[in-house]
Amino acid sequence: MKIATFNINNVRRRLPNLLRWLHAAKPDVVCLQELKSAQDEFPIDEIEKAGYGAVWQGQKTWNGVAILARKAEPVLIRTALPGAPADKEARYIEAAVRGIVIGCLYLPNGNPQPGPKFDYKLAWFKRLHKHAAKFIKDDLPVVLAGDYNVAPTPLDIYPTKSWDKDALIQPKSRAAYKALVDQGWCDAIRKLHPSQPMFTFWDYKRNRWPRDAGLRLDHLLLSPQLAPRLAKAGVDRAIRGEDGASDHAPAWIVLKRSAGPSRSSKRTNKNGA
């Protein structure tokens, strides 16, 4: 099962890029962020023609998240992160796909910092911590995938001082990400690529793509029940170099097939114990 996350940075503008990538990569599940599309303007017809069912939470001009499933219909669970009913920004959507809970998230950028936008970023992280902890407690098969707007360590950003004041690499941002992982989540990309940068984002400014001046901002976290199934992980870097590309590239994982219940479990269930 191949699961990917892709900050598409305007789904209608980048639709040709998205459709080409879906056809070539054939991911089973895709988490999209920054749809920048109103709810009724999401290109569902084109996505269904490409062989994908979808659920989405749109927002005109900015934000917006979606979950696509190949030859399947995601079963919608929620369209917002719990904990702040007044927060109307479209940054979280959750669905079940083939027995796995998929949480697709677009965490706030937080710039400029310090200030209210950075405070919002940290508060959103706290809500995510609380929600994610319930998955761990209930031992559910969960993937939390998306643009976390955090480069967790110095390895996750090219050598530079130009981002030193940016919210993406602040100690509090990194500490919030680490606290989430420390609940028991597996950072899949870093698990299988412990010493490579694995950048997923290259800003349009200052020739950063040709210079490979990137950051790793897009992450796929696996719950303890899923982590043993992790087989492959990577980043489709070439997508960033296409004409009209998003400033992000898709990050993806492959999960091995579940071994299923043991014989002893089957005997127990059959006997009704």
Side-chain angles (χ1 to χ4, degrees), residues 4-246:
T5 182
F6 191 3
N7 182 320
I8 195 64
N9 189 13
N10 195 318
V11 69
R12 297 204 66 88
R13 182 182 299 176
R14 320 284 179 200
L15 186 59
N17 304 70
L18 174 61
L19 295 177
R20 283 195 299 271
W21 172 71
L22 290 174
H23 178 74
K26 293 180 172 56
D28 297 294
V29 181
V30 183
C31 295
L32 297 177
Q33 304 86 39
E34 275 200 273
L35 301 180
K36 296 182 178 179
S37 169
Q39 185 72 9
D40 60 358
E41 294 176 350
F42 184 78
I44 185 60
D45 291 343
E46 293 89 339
I47 286 173
E48 287 183 341
K49 287 179 182 178
Y52 287 81
V55 293
W56 66 95
Q57 186 69 6
Q59 188 167 2
K60 191 173 182 179
T61 307
W62 68 88
N63 299 333
V65 285
I67 298 173
L68 316 184
R70 187 167 176 255
K71 298 180 180 179
E73 291 294 333
V75 179
L76 184 65
I77 298 173
R78 64 178 71 245
T79 57
L81 187 68
D87 186 353
K88 301 304 180 183
E89 294 197 6
R91 293 185 175 274
Y92 186 85
I93 191 167
E94 187 176 295
V97 182
R98 296 176 181 148
I100 294 177
V101 176
I102 306 291
C104 172
L105 62 96
Y106 176 46
L107 210 135
N109 176 282
N111 283 305
Q113 70 81 34
K117 291 187 176 181
F118 191 62
D119 295 340
Y120 174 57
K121 180 190 189 88
L122 298 180
W124 208 95
F125 246 128
K126 288 183 179 179
R127 288 162 56 199
L128 180 60
H129 289 167
K130 186 174 181 179
H131 188 54
K134 294 178 182 177
F135 291 135
I136 298 293
K137 181 180 178 181
D138 293 339
D139 192 27
L140 297 176
V142 182
V143 179
L144 294 177
D147 180 356
Y148 283 72
N149 268 314
V150 177
T153 73
L155 180 62
D156 300 305
I157 182 172
Y158 68 101
T160 182
K161 293 185 178 180
S162 62
W163 294 77
D164 283 0
K165 295 183 179 180
D166 198 280
L168 306 183
I169 65 167
Q170 291 307 299
K172 288 183 179 180
S173 300
R174 287 176 164 173
Y177 181 84
K178 183 178 184 300
L180 177 63
V181 173
D182 285 350
Q183 290 180 348
W185 297 90
C186 171
D187 182 338
I189 297 286
R190 187 53 69 222
K191 175 70 174 180
L192 295 189
H193 302 278
S195 59
Q196 294 177 269
M198 304 301 293
F199 298 147
T200 64
F201 166 81
W202 298 260
D203 196 283
Y204 293 125
K205 302 174 185 175
R206 300 181 184 177
N207 212 33
R208 287 189 172 113
W209 166 245
R211 293 192 294 119
D212 196 25
L215 295 85
R216 187 174 75 100
L217 303 179
D218 305 270
H219 312 300
L220 298 106
L221 302 188
L222 309 184
S223 65
Q225 189 180 132
L226 282 185
R229 293 174 55 186
L230 178 63
K232 298 179 182 179
V235 178
D236 289 344
R237 287 174 54 100
I239 304 304
R240 175 61 178 84
E242 292 183 347
D243 290 341
S246 169

Side-chain angles (χ1 to χ4, degrees), residues 259-271:
S262 65
R263 290 184 178 180
S264 60
S265 297
K266 291 180 179 179
R267 286 196 300 267
T268 300
N269 292 338
K270 185 177 180 180
N271 293 333

